[in-house]
Amino acid sequence: MINLRRCAATALGAVLLVGGLQWRSPVSAGSTTPVPCTGVGAIAAPTPSTLRYDIDLDLNTNTGGVRGRSVIRFTPDLDITELVVRLWPNGGARDATAPSMNVGSAEVNAAVTTFSQPDPTTLVIAVPSGIASGREVKLALDWTLNVPGPRDDRVSRNSASLRYGSFLPVLPWEPGVGWNRTPPTTGQAEASMTPTADWRVSVHPSTAMQIVATGSDDGHNTWTATGTRDWAMVLGTFKHVSTPIIVDGHNVAVTVAVQQGLVDDPTAYLNRVVKALKLFSTLYGRYPWSSYTVVVTPGLKGGIEYPTLVMQGPGSIGRTTPHEVAHQWFYSLVGNDQGRDPWMDEGLASWAEMRSEGTLSTFQSKVIPADATARLGAPMTYWDAHRSSYYRGVYVQAVHALAALGPAASVDCALQHYVVANAYGVATPARLISALTDQFPNTATVLARYGIKSA
Ligand SMILES: [Zn+2]
């Protein structure tokens, strides 16, 4: 996410193909010597997941309210005795405009079951008989979502448009680790951790409003997506443009939808998205999904990233646009615990944004506040109490830290190795440090100066 907008420089680096090797010239200050990125594999297309959501949404476009039924099929890779569900609409700052979610009933393998809610964002369903690793469990939830009105955030309704992001009950399973219970943030940021999943979402009843959403639709208000960590949608009346592009032999349909009445030019956004998708596919591995959509609606500052779908606010065409594209690699393709390690998604997206915009000197000119210095690795619970320092402490300080490692092109190469090694998974700081150390042996020492612990 990014909610601070600035003008952006536009110097892009050149990408050369020399003798079949990919060479990159740094786009900003630092060494201008081309650096080869060798030994890096390809990013595979998404494949069916061990987590599948089948969801029916009964939507009232007048009130914004949703009655939902989610049928979730999940095959854990560890033995478990409970199911944990996160209800993210109940997080964030709580005021009169905040959405709220309530789960009315739950069934495990078709048997009605009880559940507890230790905090508003966490539902726990005990399964005393246990579920063995490798065995599928079927969880059905009936739930409602209340949307009070306009809000500068991911769930909002006004007279022209409806935004629904982070609005579905999700399983916070970290493969090989277990359930993630990271507390929510009260700021306008993300604290979720979800594994990649497959989705079928149907919206009822039919509406005259247009719907843009994660994945692809069948023309009858049903969407499917494969290998995405979440599913989001926006309703409105849009002027939109679309173009097919090819990245590394792979077709991607790029669409920009702008709410009617806004002065934002969808073609201008489209051009910036296409440029960023192509650049980042070269720097960090190809974009593996078949669509990327930006939807611009009123009452939103900056942008909010979802897999294959980004919500942006009016006037956010600047650095927000490549920043949100970058999140498709750093959050969407390679996941992380956004509440515990926000620097891993926001910091790396800021690095990519800097590479796209040629703004290293701009980042480096920013002073890190005293309460953020050497705290790059701090969790959202810390930044909630130091909100004014969050942007510089995480977004800016991460760029400082990565730039301190060495040439920017070598950082990009390390990040491409990191993406390929962790695609569709959930990465940890140790995995990122490992990839960086392969390029820069002193990574642990350098990052420690910024507050990143290696252990
Ligand atoms: Zn961001």
Side-chain angles (χ1 to χ4, degrees):
M1 180 180 191
I2 192 167
N3 58 16
L4 297 168
R5 285 169 285 161
R6 289 179 184 79
C7 297
T10 56
L12 286 174
V15 177
L16 305 175
L17 287 176
V18 181
L21 276 179
Q22 197 176 87
W23 297 73
R24 300 188 195 88
S25 66
V27 295
S28 47
S31 169
T32 56
T33 304
V35 176
C37 191
T38 57
V40 66
I43 293 172
T47 56
S49 308
T50 55
L51 174 59
R52 175 177 177 80
Y53 295 88
D54 285 286
I55 300 171
D56 286 278
L57 303 176
D58 185 358
L59 177 64
N60 184 325
T61 55
N62 292 319
T63 67
V66 181
R67 299 181 67 84
R69 180 170 176 82
S70 299
V71 177
I72 305 167
R73 294 174 176 82
F74 172 53
T75 304
D77 59 313
L78 300 171
D79 294 348
I80 56 176
T81 56
E82 62 183 12
L83 293 163
V84 176
V85 182
R86 299 308 294 266
L87 312 178
W88 289 112
N90 295 335
R94 305 311 296 171
D95 56 35
T97 68
S100 58
M101 171 170 275
N102 181 61
V103 172
S105 67
E107 300 169 13
V108 174
N109 292 334
V112 175
T113 186
T114 58
F115 51 82
S116 62
Q117 199 163 350
D119 72 74
T121 68
T122 306
L123 201 74
V124 178
I125 303 163
V127 185
S129 57
I131 301 162
S133 169
R135 294 286 299 273
E136 182 180 273
V137 60
K138 178 180 171 184
L139 171 65
L141 300 172
D142 289 303
W143 52 271
T144 57
L145 177 72
N146 180 42
V147 184
R151 183 176 174 85
D152 176 17
D153 212 337
R154 57 215 71 208
V155 178
S156 171
R157 70 174 169 89
N158 60 31
S159 59
S161 57
L162 297 154
R163 285 192 296 270
Y164 295 96
S166 305
F167 79 110
L168 297 171
V170 289
L171 266 57
W173 180 257
E174 185 173 351
V177 176
W179 299 113
N180 182 285
R181 299 169 188 259
T182 301
T185 173
T186 57
Q188 283 189 319
E190 300 84 8
S192 64
M193 194 297 300
T194 49
T196 51
D198 302 334
W199 305 78
R200 192 278 303 165
V201 184
S202 295
V203 180
H204 316 275
S206 59
T207 169
M209 300 178 84
Q210 297 168 286
I211 306 176
V212 293
T214 303
S216 56
D217 72 281
D218 67 350
H220 302 284
N221 283 356
T222 293
W223 280 261
T224 55
T226 302
T228 67
R229 298 181 192 280
D230 207 345
W231 189 91
M233 68 174 179
V234 181
L235 286 78
T237 306
F238 305 113
K239 48 183 177 181
H240 66 273
V241 293
S242 186
T243 188
I245 65 169
I246 299 175
V247 288
D248 197 16
H250 172 60
N251 293 306
V252 181
V254 183
T255 301
V256 175
V258 175
Q259 176 65 41
Q260 292 281 3
L262 296 178
V263 299
D264 297 71
D265 175 8
T267 301
Y269 280 83
L270 188 79
N271 291 338
R272 285 183 61 73
V273 168
V274 168
K275 185 177 289 187
L277 277 171
K278 289 183 174 178
L279 176 66
F280 297 155
S281 288
T282 301
L283 294 183
Y284 308 122
R286 79 169 186 186
Y287 180 83
W289 295 283
S290 58
S291 66
Y292 181 88
T293 302
V294 174
V295 56
V296 181
T297 49
L300 179 66
K301 296 186 180 72
I304 305 171
E305 68 277 12
Y306 290 100
T308 81
L309 178 75
V310 164
M311 304 172 176
Q312 288 185 213
S316 68
I317 189 171
R319 67 192 183 89
T320 295
T321 302
H323 179 97
E324 305 303 346
V325 173
H327 274 305
Q328 299 303 312
W329 282 262
F330 306 116
Y331 147 69
S332 179
L333 185 54
V334 179
N336 63 288
D337 185 333
Q338 299 181 99
R340 187 190 64 197
D341 308 307
W343 70 283
M344 291 185 67
D345 48 290
E346 294 301 352
L348 297 186
S350 296
W351 173 265
E353 168 204 322
M354 177 280 288
R355 295 294 276 153
S356 171
E357 302 296 280
T359 47
L360 179 58
S361 60
T362 304
F363 275 91
Q364 290 191 314
S365 70
K366 297 187 187 308
V367 175
I368 307 302
D371 64 348
T373 298
R375 293 183 181 274
L376 177 58
M380 286 309 303
T381 47
Y382 179 81
W383 300 114
D384 282 348
H386 301 266
R387 197 165 299 169
S388 64
S389 298
Y390 171 53
Y391 176 74
R392 292 198 178 204
V394 174
Y395 297 58
V396 175
Q397 191 165 212
V399 174
H400 290 191
L402 292 171
L405 291 171
S410 296
V411 174
D412 289 334
C413 184
L415 294 180
Q416 185 172 168
H417 280 275
Y418 163 75
V419 169
V420 170
N422 296 283
Y424 306 105
V426 177
T428 58
R431 289 185 172 223
L432 175 55
I433 290 168
S434 172
L436 291 167
T437 302
D438 287 343
Q439 287 284 333
F440 308 103
N442 63 340
T443 292
T445 302
V446 173
L447 294 189
R449 298 205 304 263
Y450 296 86
I452 301 299
K453 295 184 176 70
S454 296

